Amino acid sequence: MKILVIDGPNINMLGIREVNIYGSKSYDTLLKLLDEVALEENIDIKHFQSNYEGAIVDEIQKAYQKIDGIVINAAAYTHTSVAILDALKSVSIPTVEVHISKVSEREDFRQINFIKSYAIKSFEGFGIDGYKRAIIYLKNYLKGQK
């Protein structure tokens, strides 16, 4: 089973930026968590992070017929990117959304969520542990499809 984990802008700054919102765990800690989950769950996890919308769209398109599922934290692009939503729709790969903070309880402008309308499930407010929850949920979902 192959799962692509995509992170959007500023996720590479975890542990540095707005620690009161995103926590003190670093981006490297997140990458180690993904490696641990891959090993524990026997999943091939590919990770991609970019601060550029077009690069994220390109990565989603590259996943077509190569990846079984996507876990995405589009970060700020969650609230602005129809292009990422359209890319997800175009590849028709089951997708789970994850957010480190509880975006549904934050600023008004964060209440617009383009990705959620496509995602089969959303996890928010669990810190980086939300990634593990999202991956395991997606794994079980994909196993149920077979």
Side-chain angles (χ1 to χ4, degrees), residues 74-138:
Y77 290 134
T78 299
H79 319 291
T80 63
S81 183
V82 174
I84 291 173
L85 171 62
D86 286 349
L88 290 168
K89 287 179 173 181
S90 72
V91 297
S92 297
I93 298 171
T95 299
V96 174
E97 176 188 41
V98 64
H99 292 285
I100 294 166
S101 70
K102 190 116 173 136
V103 291
S104 63
E105 295 177 1
R106 292 185 57 198
E107 303 92 339
D108 288 345
F109 66 87
R110 293 189 197 274
Q111 301 317 303
I112 296 168
N113 183 333
F114 290 104
I115 308 305
K116 193 172 191 170
S117 68
Y118 176 76
I120 59 171
K121 179 88 171 157
S122 292
F123 291 88
E124 64 171 48
F126 296 104
I128 65 170
D129 189 53
Y131 286 84
K132 182 174 184 175
R133 292 171 186 237
I135 291 165
I136 292 170
Y137 180 89
L138 185 54

